[in-house]
Amino acid sequence: MGKITFYEEKNFQGRSYECMSDCSDMSSYMSRCQSCRVESGCFMVYERNNYMGQQFFMRRGEYNDMHRMQSMGMMFDNIRSCRMIPYHRGQFRMKIYESENFGGQSNELMDDCDNIQDRYRMSDCQSCNVMDGHWLMYEQPHYKGRMMYMRPGEYRSFRDMGMSGQRFMSMRRITDMC
């Protein structure tokens, strides 16, 4: 079970909101988020309500200043929703496709891939099917740039998920026990 606490001000000050599961809209609990503390578990935080917009992976730790979090790769300045990531025991499997609707070249992954172009000669990844485990997909090689959390399921079009124009070039399994 995970637990994250969000604070309206830097350094864990001001009004707070404690969360131990998914939360699709934090705006009724607080007007902004300037710091947070992950006491246990792993979470994805989102810049917009309903798990939309830019995302950032958070593991156990203290994040006392949103501006410092931006220097660690978070590309937005406020958190509006969060999703708890359950710990996965077992194998990891994901099939990636070059085109939307599972079209074009495809490859199956069972481990991390730091560059799909180098490993598979794929220029892009526009859809995927996550069979086992939880994954993070990154827009640039070597796990850099904007990221997207993928849990088991079929993803026919990343554009339909609010990721218009975004392409994914590297993928990593979420193996943290947090």
Side-chain angles (χ1 to χ4, degrees):
M1 180 143 177
K3 180 179 176 185
I4 187 170
T5 306
F6 299 98
Y7 298 86
E8 281 190 331
E9 304 298 331
K10 295 178 185 177
N11 299 314
F12 319 112
Q13 300 295 310
R15 201 162 61 170
S16 66
Y17 172 64
E18 188 177 285
C19 189
M20 294 189 295
S21 62
D22 297 352
C23 178
S24 64
D25 184 1
M26 294 189 333
S27 60
S28 60
Y29 304 108
M30 54 196 327
S31 61
R32 65 180 179 201
C33 175
Q34 294 297 307
S35 59
C36 66
R37 181 178 286 130
V38 180
E39 293 181 37
S40 61
C42 295
F43 290 84
M44 279 312 283
V45 295
Y46 300 81
E47 76 171 323
R48 296 193 333 244
N49 297 341
N50 299 315
Y51 320 111
M52 299 297 286
Q54 299 299 313
Q55 308 174 23
F56 189 72
F57 177 72
M58 302 186 89
R59 58 177 47 98
R60 187 176 176 160
E62 293 187 340
Y63 303 85
N64 66 341
D65 182 356
M66 277 301 249
H67 295 291
R68 259 188 83 218
M69 290 165 59
Q70 289 174 326
S71 70
M72 296 175 358
M74 188 161 129
M75 304 205 179
F76 51 95
D77 63 0
N78 203 355
I79 297 170
R80 292 289 182 204
S81 57
C82 73
R83 179 166 273 153
M84 189 180 80
I85 301 172
Y87 178 66
H88 176 74
R89 291 174 176 79
Q91 69 177 2
F92 287 78
R93 283 184 35 220
M94 173 171 58
K95 192 164 190 176
I96 59 173
Y97 298 85
E98 198 169 29
S99 303
E100 291 182 338
N101 294 312
F102 313 122
Q105 181 182 339
S106 67
N107 289 283
E108 189 168 312
L109 285 76
M110 295 182 78
D111 59 358
D112 300 349
C113 177
D114 69 346
N115 189 330
I116 63 169
Q117 192 162 16
D118 288 351
R119 185 186 286 182
Y120 300 116
R121 303 292 181 243
M122 283 178 73
S123 60
D124 208 350
C125 173
Q126 291 292 321
S127 57
C128 73
N129 181 8
V130 177
M131 285 85 79
D132 294 301
H134 300 263
W135 298 74
L136 290 176
M137 298 180 72
Y138 297 82
E139 71 176 340
Q140 297 172 16
H142 308 291
Y143 318 115
K144 295 188 180 187
R146 293 181 292 181
M147 65 180 75
M148 185 164 69
Y149 166 55
M150 309 300 285
R151 54 189 181 176
E154 292 184 345
Y155 301 90
R156 294 185 170 278
S157 171
F158 299 140
R159 186 178 12 194
D160 293 346
M161 300 170 63
M163 297 296 179
S164 182
Q166 188 168 341
R167 46 189 259 176
F168 296 100
M169 300 300 294
S170 55
M171 296 82 188
R172 175 180 280 166
R173 300 163 296 151
I174 301 176
T175 58
D176 300 60
M177 194 158 182
C178 303

